[in-house]
Amino acid sequence: DNKRIGVLRSTMSYFDACTVLVGKLEPCTIDARIEIKTNKELYHGAMLTQNSFLVHHTIINQMHVHFYFREYLPVVELAVEYKKSAGAKRALDPICIFYEGISSLCLARDVKQSKWRDLGEKSIKAMAHFVQLSTWNFENKLALLQAELHCLDSHYDLAELAYEASILSARKHKFIQEEALACELYGIHFIENRQFEKGISQLQKAINKYVQLGALKKADDVKDFVEVIKQPAHFLS
């Protein structure tokens, strides 16, 4: 029973993260007596019971949601919590590194603090190690991290090559969500550099991929961003 409850709570954590991106909550069909809990509720319960396995899963899933809605400061704060516990390497470590790295590099562009660049560079180094272990799983993630670092350094030609490499790798290796993410960040890169037509084109590709994935709320988030960009005041600013 304890094992069953542990697996159920871990599944709830992923279910909660998915429903935030999808934008709707389907009724639980496992057992009518089961109360669906959010990741924050699961996290607090896991901390009280010192369930490190569930703690890691709930933190990663909270990071996942904040990351895909471009809420980067909570991502790096949660990464600190994730890394507090010592012990054996965990299968979720590369995901934490990826989310923290992209978030840090985006924050470095926004607030110009060296600590964010340092975290981003550490993530790139760590991800390069993972690529040696599995090109299939990590190549697209490394390319996207490199693209964000090139943007930070104003090496825009190199950034665009890296964005395109990330998109192609994600497509080749069937990571639809990460292909959508790379298109979205590529589009934001163009918008920030006032190449609006190219930016909107990439953002539309991201929307299409999020819709294909079923992440309809996330697709709407990008659509809303595109509508803001299309406003005359934005073009004239």
Side-chain angles (χ1 to χ4, degrees), residues 4-209:
R4 177 178 175 272
I5 291 170
V7 170
L8 179 60
R9 286 174 177 164
S10 178
T11 303
M12 271 188 203
S13 176
Y14 287 92
F15 182 75
D16 179 65
C18 288
T19 54
V20 174
L21 294 177
V22 170
K24 61 180 179 179
L25 182 65
E26 296 292 348
C28 178
T29 57
I30 300 171
D31 189 321
R33 296 168 296 177
I34 293 172
E35 180 186 357
I36 298 295
K37 295 184 180 295
T38 67
N39 265 299
K40 287 185 178 180
E41 292 170 331
L42 291 165
Y43 171 76
H44 290 307
M47 291 294 288
L48 286 172
T49 58
Q50 297 184 326
N51 183 339
S52 61
F53 176 82
L54 184 58
V55 166
H56 298 146
H57 284 260
T58 56
I59 290 175
I60 283 290
N61 282 310
Q62 288 180 77
M63 288 178 71
H64 178 81
V65 171
H66 286 300
F67 178 75
Y68 271 92
F69 285 100
R70 301 192 302 279
E71 298 162 350
Y72 293 129
L73 190 57
V75 174
V76 294
E77 290 171 346
L78 285 163
V80 172
E81 290 299 311
Y82 179 88
K83 291 183 286 187
K84 276 183 179 177
S85 58
K89 292 186 181 296
R90 300 177 292 266
L92 298 175
D93 286 1
I95 302 301
C96 178
I97 289 165
F98 178 58
Y99 290 169
E100 181 184 34
I102 295 291
S103 299
S104 298
L105 292 168
C106 289
L107 286 168
R109 275 211 314 279
D110 291 341
V111 299
K112 313 298 183 188
Q113 292 181 5
S114 61
K115 67 177 181 178
W116 301 126
R117 181 194 180 93
D118 292 344
L119 277 172
E121 289 180 339
K122 286 179 182 176
S123 296
I124 289 173
K125 187 178 293 186
M127 194 59 66
H129 168 71
F130 286 119
V131 169
Q132 293 176 0
L133 302 177
S134 175
T135 301
W136 185 287
N137 286 307
F138 304 117
E139 179 184 64
N140 71 297
K141 298 173 180 65
L142 176 60
L144 194 54
L145 284 162
Q146 291 170 330
E148 291 299 314
L149 181 60
H150 289 316
C151 279
L152 181 59
D153 290 335
S154 302
H155 297 157
Y156 300 130
D157 290 343
L158 291 174
E160 289 170 21
L161 288 172
Y163 281 123
E164 289 168 8
S166 180
I167 291 166
L168 289 173
S169 178
R171 185 179 304 151
K172 177 181 178 182
H173 299 127
K174 313 301 182 186
F175 292 113
I176 297 174
Q177 186 163 322
E178 290 171 13
E179 182 183 349
L181 171 67
C183 290
E184 181 180 1
L185 294 181
Y186 195 13
I188 291 170
H189 156 75
F190 281 127
I191 298 302
E192 288 179 346
N193 288 282
R194 304 192 63 79
Q195 298 182 60
F196 295 110
E197 187 174 339
K198 288 182 177 180
I200 290 171
S201 174
Q202 287 299 326
L203 291 169
Q204 186 59 55
K205 290 177 184 178
I207 291 166
N208 294 342
K209 284 295 173 181

